[in-house]
């Protein structure tokens, strides 16, 4: 084992320690400093780091070069890194359907009978997996003094406020703890203690470097400067300034202890903030420039070419040979659903360890939506290597309330709204059983209760008995835009659904259903008699969803094909088939996006009574624009559309709000019989401005359809629709 290589190779030199301070994205400047140190042949004997300084310093201590660390940082998709969930295409199908229903929405936890919130906006799941993958070479090096360069990281125990120094243990976990910025990254529990960012107590750990025996120090301070008074215009800015003041006071004390032989490098990072991860390349350059200005001082610690070559040869990650995974050990202490994780990861046993494959499998399991984090490590047992996996449930659960809404107004007296509330009780058994209860008010009234139980290898199968009551109004028009009658359609049903999800993009299901339909006149002329009848049948469904977004997709396809077969043998008054189709495919080139889609609804047979449950709906922005939402109801409907939208804001900026300008061309209609579908279609089009907000997409648009139908729209909804 090679360790302490710099000190042993250069016994005549004073021990030189590198101190890398915290500063969020500003800490990318540390890489520029490392590049100059390598260019000037300055070997480092020890490293102490905090927060971003712990990330860069930990990687360098593990054997990565400055160029390799720069390459790692520049390859990170920071937008994705700051979203804990896997990409949408890898989410379970049920969560994709929930996205279409709730369109963002708000989720609150229910913990011990009280409303609870997450401890951080980001749980750090992807960052933790990335650090684990990058530092696999250190998994058999429990003592940080035995790394290629001895290393220390600083964290803060939030319960007591004391400084915690990591000198042993799990390097990836130590770095993750050191960078847990309060409020942004959730704290992480380590050996029973809750850890947050080390910058709270020691942002530039000069004292720690001295404890490591440093005789000379190269200190890099990238601290966020105090904001000007005119910028302190919100409670958030005031609170952030208070934190910066406290950190600055402690940092100034540390910097005041530097001696004449120590070097302080303070890159001029200008308007780069701790959140400017999309400007990491600029920070690296500024760090390199600042270090280059100190090159004459740094050369004091430089060594000759041959000596530095020996340092560089020894400074590399330890060899790592991916082992064969002999066993899977899922810890049960932190999760009610550890059995579900065992199902999802069972295929890893007997295979050669592949960290990227495992990351993807863990990400898909994380997408179930009930975990705060899922961590893993390699473990040796009886001469064999296996996976030790630790799932931790959300500490603001295990029960959750979710709220969502949809609004639509055509500025002509026709408006609608839907409010959704869902209570989700999770962790009902070891294999991920859930009880979901939903209430919907507004245009549609709904009460829904479902028990969902995954089972089988990798949890690919599920059984879901459910109860549902659903009611909505059906307007009838006489060729114009004025309703001459309005009926209320009611449906109550109990069903047992059995499904198979071969992967995250496909789901096949069959449900046996039994219930009661009724139709009642609410307003207007009694054109049709009231109707009431029991029904029974089978609902078959095939779904595919690989879209990358439920708001403004740029790639992927969504297909939802179902057939409801009502059978006399199961209590229906008539044998009937109701077919439903929705298809959308997204294409993109740069800021330009194209969504191609089609939908159809077709009811076969000739029932003795009018049953509006058999009817499909058309109308709304990009869904036969010019008509109000769901203005047209018929037994046969069809629509084809092409929707173009261009992003107006810079997609590369980390925190930019997506704004789109677009338009659509559509053709569709309604018919009485299947044989008439496609005759004399209605042509329509629209123009719109769309904004993707935290609560869901908002549209302001104008639509016009053949026949003189025009409408302005203010819509809180989606370009996509669901039959649920």
């Amino acid at each position: 084992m090679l360790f302490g290589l710099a000190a042993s190779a250069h016994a005549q030199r004073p021990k030189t320690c590198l101190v890398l301070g915290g500063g969020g994205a500003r800490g990318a400047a540390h890489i520029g400093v490392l590049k100059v140190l390598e260019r000037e042949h300055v070997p480092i004997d020890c490293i102490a780091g905090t927060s971003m300084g712990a990330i860069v310093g930990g990687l360098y201590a593990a054997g990565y070069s400055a160029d390799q660390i720069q390459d790692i940082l520049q390859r990170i998709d920071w937008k994705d890194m700051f979203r804990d969930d896997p990409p949408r295409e890898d989410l379970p199908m049920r969560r994709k359907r929930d996205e279409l229903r709730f369109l963002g929405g708000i989720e609150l936890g229910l913990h011990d009978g009280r409303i609870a919130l997450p401890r951080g906006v980001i749980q750090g799941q992807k960052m933790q997996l990335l650090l684990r993958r990058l530092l696999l070479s250190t998994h058999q090096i429990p003592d940080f003094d035995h790394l290629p360069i001895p290393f220390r990281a600083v964290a803060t125990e939030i319960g007591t406020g004391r400084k915690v120094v990591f000198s042993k243990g799990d390097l990836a976990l130590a770095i993750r703890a050191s960078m847990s910025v309060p409020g942004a990254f959730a704290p992480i529990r380590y050996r029973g203690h809750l850890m947050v960012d080390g910058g709270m107590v020691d942002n530039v750990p000069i004292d720690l470097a001295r404890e490591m025996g440093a005789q000379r120090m190269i200190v890099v301070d990238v601290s966020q400067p105090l904001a000007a008074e005119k910028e302190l215009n919100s409670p958030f800015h005031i609170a952030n300034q208070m934190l910066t003041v406290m950190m600055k006071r402690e940092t100034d004390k540390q910097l005041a202890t530097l001696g004449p032989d120590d070097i302080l490098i303070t890159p001029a990072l200008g308007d780069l903030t701790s959140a400017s991860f999309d400007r990491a390349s600029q920070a690296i350059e500024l760090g390199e420039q600042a270090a280059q200005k100190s090159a004459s001082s740094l050369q004091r610690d430089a060594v000759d070419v041959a000596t530095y070559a020996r340092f560089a040869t020894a400074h590399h990650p330890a060899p790592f040979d991916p082992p064969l995974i002999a066993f899977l050990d899922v810890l049960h202490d932190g999760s009610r659903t550890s059995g579900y994780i065992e199902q999802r990861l069972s295929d890893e046993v007997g295979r050669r360890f592949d960290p990227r494959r495992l990351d993807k499998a863990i990400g898909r399991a994380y997408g179930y939506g009930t975990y705060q984090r899922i961590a893993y490590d390699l473990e040796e047992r009886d001469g064999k290597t296996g996976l030790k996996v630790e799932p931790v449930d959300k500490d603001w659960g295990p029960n959750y309330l979710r709220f969502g809404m949809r609004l639509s107004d055509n500025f002509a007296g026709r408006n609608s709204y839907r409010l959704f509330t869902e209570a989700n009780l999770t962790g009902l058994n070891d294999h991920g059983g859930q009880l979901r209860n939903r209430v919907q008010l507004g245009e549609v009234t709904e009460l829904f209760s479902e028990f969902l139980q995954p089972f089988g290898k990798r949890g690919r199968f599920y059984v879901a008995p459910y109860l549902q009551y659903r009611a909505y109004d059906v307007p009838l028009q006489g060729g114009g835009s004025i309703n001459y009658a309005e009926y209320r359609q009611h449906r109550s049903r109990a069903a047992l659904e059995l499904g198979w999800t071969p992967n995250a993009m496909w789901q096949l299901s069959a449900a046996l259903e039994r219930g009661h339909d009724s139709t009642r006149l609410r307003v207007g002329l009694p054109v049709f008699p009231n109707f009431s009848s029991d029904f029974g049948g089978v609902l078959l469904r095939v779904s595919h969803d690989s879209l990358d977004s439920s708001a403004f997709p740029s790639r992927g396809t969504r297909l939802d094909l179902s057939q409801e077969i009502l059978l006399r043998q199961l209590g229906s008054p008539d044998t009937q088939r109701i077919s439903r189709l929705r298809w959308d495919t997204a294409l993109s080139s740069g800021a330009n996006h194209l969504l191609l889609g089609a939908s159809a609804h077709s009811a076969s047979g000739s029932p003795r009574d009018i049953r509006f449950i058999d009817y499909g709906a058309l109308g709304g922005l990009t869904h036969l624009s010019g008509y109000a939402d769901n203005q047209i109801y018929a037994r046969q409907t069809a629509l084809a559309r092409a929707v173009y939208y261009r992003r107006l804001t810079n997609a590369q900026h980390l925190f930019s709000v997506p704004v789109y300008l677009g338009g659509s061309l559509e053709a569709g209609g309604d018919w009485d019989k299947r044989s008439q579908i496609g005759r004399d279609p209605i042509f329509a089009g629209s123009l719109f401005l769309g904004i993707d907000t935290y609560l869901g997409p908002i549209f302001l648009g104008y639509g016009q359809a053949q026949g003189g139908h025009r409408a302005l729209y203010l819509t809180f909804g989606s370009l996509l629709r669901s039959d649920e």
Side-chain angles (χ1 to χ4, degrees), residues 152 301 334-335 397 412 439 566 570 576:
R152 300 290 186 271
D301 296 313
S335 175
V439 176
L566 302 180
L570 295 177
Q576 194 173 4

Side-chain angles (χ1 to χ4, degrees), residues 118-149:
R119 287 173 167 162
V121 176
I122 305 160
Q123 302 308 307
Q125 171 66 15
K126 290 179 181 174
M127 178 61 74
Q128 183 172 293
L129 290 178
L130 175 63
L131 290 171
R132 173 67 66 215
R133 186 170 74 244
L134 293 174
L135 296 169
L136 283 169
S137 63
T138 70
H139 86 282
Q140 291 184 323
I141 308 177
D143 189 335
F144 297 171
D145 282 337
H146 294 178
L147 293 168
I149 299 176

Side-chain angles (χ1 to χ4, degrees), residues 542 558-563 578-584 597-602 637-639 721-723:
V542 177
R558 173 174 170 258
L559 172 68
D560 199 345
L561 177 62
S562 68
Q563 185 161 83
I578 304 169
S579 302
R580 302 177 181 91
L581 166 70
R582 290 195 183 276
W583 166 77
D584 293 286
S599 64
H601 176 103
S602 178
T637 63
L639 174 73
R721 285 192 177 179
S722 169
D723 291 316

Side-chain angles (χ1 to χ4, degrees), residues 41 303-311:
H41 294 171
V303 296
D304 59 71
V305 174
T307 303
Y308 191 79
R310 289 194 295 272
F311 168 84

